[in-house]
Amino acid sequence: MKKPFHLAWFLSQGYGPKSWRSEFPGSDVHRWMMPDIFVDLAKGMDRACFDYMIIEDSSNVPYTYQGSHNSYLQYAASAPKLDPAVLVPYLAMATKTVGLVPTLSVSEYPPYLLARLVNSLDHTTEGRIGWNCVTGSNDGAAQNYGHEKHRPHDERYDVADEFADVVTRLWEAWEPDAVVLDREKPMFADGSKVRAINHEGKYFKCRGPINAPRSPQGRVPICQAGGSPRGQQFASRWADTIITEGGGSIESMKAYRDKVRQQAAEYGRNPDDIKVLFLAHPIIDVSMEAARDRGRMEAAEAEKHLDLHLSGMSRLTGIDFSKFDLDEPLPAHLTTNGHQSSLAKWIGKTPRSILQSYSRKGGIDFTGTPDYVGGLMAEIMQEVGGDGFLIFNSYFDRRYIIEVCDGLVPELQRRGVTRKAYAHKHLRDNLLEF
Ligand SMILES: Cc1cc2nc3c(=O)[nH]c(=O)nc-3n(C[C@H](O)[C@H](O)[C@H](O)COP(=O)(O)O)c2cc1C
């Protein structure tokens, strides 16, 4: 029997405008700031029994490309974005089980504030919350929080280590049976079962305890995407689920997963407790020709707007890519304090070839009928060994939601490789189901 795998959705470009340039825009594009299209997505995911949706985030209007914010605003690329934590309760109210994972940066939140927010969301969703733990990368965001630039790349992960330690201890500061609710005594909570954490570290100081009981999951699942050696080390230590591009081949996916699992074992963790999910951008239609046509149209459209992708590369690395010749290989000496794993992949390639692979959405080509794409996904996961896929499409429309949730996923379910019903209520339990 085939081993089942997990499905999640990466809401790339966060809580921002989605379908405004689509052929199927919906009649409510000017109301992009309302939760409606995201609610439709979450309902589709609940029907299809996805594990979770990550709501990407960043909190600045970037100006790295050509020293100007114009291209970002022109394409609604990275801006505008509303706060992902605001979206979560709307999605939770509209669905029953799908997990909800807002992105919250350790460079922007104080640990107590973040621990409290996530604890509150875990209570009110009855255990469906995860935390996408990021360090931030673009200096423009650091400038919105009182700094000139971000800390050095690897030190950000040192900060994240201490941050995750404080946050997880706050989440566990109340014993599971601390709330007594004894009306006669009277005793709401037993003080002997609630402890301060008295943390004094290199970066943070926090007394605790958190001012709310342990939430349904207690220690909320942590999601992480660090791709550099230091990032992977952090993820192996803390993450319950890791999201990654995967490198575009079965070999690279397998190698990445094996490395994470080995590092996790070195930290004394059970590697099976970490679910590695690989980005996938399926393009689905009723026939192979129709799907390929759509793929060609998407690529042609992307190639018409090279500055959209150049500005994205600039934002991730802090390097202004308008300075380079499109057809000259990028110099080997380039360094970044932003996404090191992304830059490492680009060095030695020409910007044009990087953009072409961007416009084809890099990675493995999942273009075809639901039957074809479902079969391909099943085969790939079988070879990689796990643990699942993370669907993404930055500017999806409602048609895309249906294609994936009501076309592709039923094919995966028919093959017995993804779940047909949730076995549990909590996100962590669903992640650990297989
Ligand atoms: C699928 C995926 C989702 C990510 N989501 C976010 C995000 O929402 N916000 C953010 O600041 N960074 C995000 N990142 C960036 C990662 O947190 C990390 O900075 C990046 O992968 C580079 O890792 P490195 O610095 O270890 O090379 C994401 C990365 C990936 C691959």
Side-chain angles (χ1 to χ4, degrees):
M1 184 180 139
K2 288 191 189 118
K3 186 181 162 207
F5 59 80
H6 298 268
L7 285 176
W9 193 296
F10 177 52
L11 195 60
S12 153
Q13 300 291 341
Y15 183 8
K18 293 294 158 206
S19 61
W20 63 288
R21 289 179 66 215
S22 154
E23 298 286 328
F24 291 77
S27 45
D28 54 354
V29 280
H30 58 290
R31 282 166 55 87
W32 63 267
M33 67 294 288
M34 302 309 285
D36 304 18
I37 191 169
F38 307 98
V39 165
D40 288 344
L41 172 60
K43 283 181 164 176
M45 291 175 64
D46 221 25
R47 275 197 303 281
C49 303
F50 275 66
D51 286 70
Y52 62 85
M53 176 202 298
I54 300 176
I55 312 167
E56 187 267 1
D57 196 38
S58 59
S59 63
N60 63 309
V61 179
Y63 61 92
T64 322
Y65 184 68
Q66 295 178 326
S68 157
H69 59 213
N70 290 350
S71 58
Y72 300 96
L73 293 175
Q74 178 188 349
Y75 295 111
S78 297
K81 268 179 208 169
L82 303 195
D83 191 316
V86 171
L87 185 58
V88 168
Y90 290 96
L91 305 184
M93 291 290 283
T95 53
K96 287 200 177 75
T97 320
V98 66
L100 302 164
V101 183
T103 299
L104 307 162
S105 170
V106 302
S107 303
E108 295 166 7
Y109 274 88
Y112 187 91
L113 195 61
L114 186 143
R116 186 174 188 224
L117 173 61
V118 173
N119 167 283
S120 300
L121 290 173
D122 199 45
H123 276 296
T124 54
T125 61
E126 299 187 287
R128 291 162 55 192
I129 286 296
W131 168 33
N132 184 26
C133 169
V134 300
T135 65
S137 54
N138 190 281
D139 284 338
Q143 288 155 11
N144 289 337
Y145 292 87
H147 313 285
E148 231 172 88
K149 54 185 185 170
H150 271 296
R151 291 178 199 274
H153 176 275
D154 284 9
E155 191 186 353
R156 291 206 294 278
Y157 284 111
D158 297 343
V159 172
D161 269 328
E162 190 181 324
F163 194 111
D165 176 50
V166 174
V167 163
T168 49
R169 283 195 288 139
L170 285 168
W171 285 338
E172 293 174 332
W174 292 49
E175 293 289 321
D177 58 352
V179 175
V180 183
L181 261 175
D182 184 332
R183 179 190 164 119
E184 301 307 319
K185 264 187 183 169
M187 181 182 275
F188 182 86
D190 178 350
S192 70
K193 294 184 173 171
V194 180
R195 275 179 291 280
I197 66 163
N198 291 316
H199 176 83
E200 281 194 39
K202 181 164 175 199
Y203 301 104
F204 304 108
K205 201 169 163 183
C206 178
R207 183 183 182 278
I210 195 168
N211 57 343
R214 188 178 289 228
S215 67
Q217 297 183 101
R219 188 176 172 135
V220 163
I222 295 177
C223 170
Q224 227 284 320
S228 61
R230 182 65 183 91
Q232 281 185 39
Q233 197 192 350
F234 176 84
S236 304
R237 177 171 173 198
W238 291 104
D240 299 288
T241 175
I242 294 180
I243 51 176
T244 175
E245 287 171 9
S249 71
I250 291 176
E251 296 71 46
S252 60
M253 290 163 79
K254 204 165 162 7
Y256 180 89
R257 180 169 178 268
D258 289 347
K259 176 139 187 252
V260 162
R261 289 171 63 82
Q262 184 202 326
Q263 281 185 340
E266 284 162 19
Y267 278 113
R269 299 183 63 195
N270 176 356
D272 291 340
D273 290 352
I274 305 180
K275 305 301 172 189
V276 180
L277 304 194
F278 298 93
L279 282 176
H281 173 69
I283 301 178
I284 298 165
D285 217 316
V286 292
S287 69
M288 291 301 285
E289 297 74 55
R292 286 195 193 114
D293 242 14
R294 290 226 344 236
R296 274 192 290 272
M297 275 156 63
E298 273 191 27
E301 178 61 24
E303 280 166 36
K304 258 200 259 166
H305 302 286
L306 293 183
D307 54 341
L308 166 61
H309 298 294
L310 285 169
S311 61
M313 290 166 63
S314 303
R315 175 180 80 91
L316 296 180
T317 55
I319 298 167
D320 179 359
F321 281 96
S322 68
K323 291 186 305 205
F324 298 102
D325 188 312
L326 279 179
D327 298 305
E328 289 287 323
L330 290 172
H333 62 74
L334 279 183
T335 57
T336 177
N337 195 34
H339 289 207
Q340 293 188 344
S341 43
S342 302
L343 184 65
K345 278 186 305 199
W346 300 335
I347 295 288
K349 297 187 182 141
T350 66
R352 195 183 300 281
S353 70
I354 299 165
L355 296 173
Q356 278 161 349
S357 105
Y358 240 90
S359 64
R360 290 192 299 268
K361 303 285 189 281
I364 294 170
D365 184 3
F366 292 110
T367 304
T369 58
D371 177 47
Y372 171 82
V373 177
L376 184 61
M377 286 185 148
E379 259 174 52
I380 290 174
M381 260 313 121
Q382 201 65 30
E383 289 198 39
V384 173
D387 299 291
F389 288 106
L390 184 67
I391 308 292
F392 82 108
N393 176 351
S394 309
Y395 302 102
F396 67 90
D397 53 25
R398 287 183 172 88
R399 179 174 72 162
Y400 192 76
I401 298 172
I402 303 280
E403 285 163 349
V404 173
C405 298
D406 302 290
L408 173 61
V409 177
E411 278 298 334
L412 295 169
Q413 292 170 330
R414 192 173 62 77
R415 287 176 162 78
V417 293
T418 63
R419 67 164 73 83
K420 287 197 177 109
Y422 291 103
H424 304 283
K425 286 195 170 318
H426 293 174
L427 170 58
R428 175 180 299 285
D429 295 337
N430 284 321
L431 281 173
L432 291 176
E433 184 189 352
F434 39 78

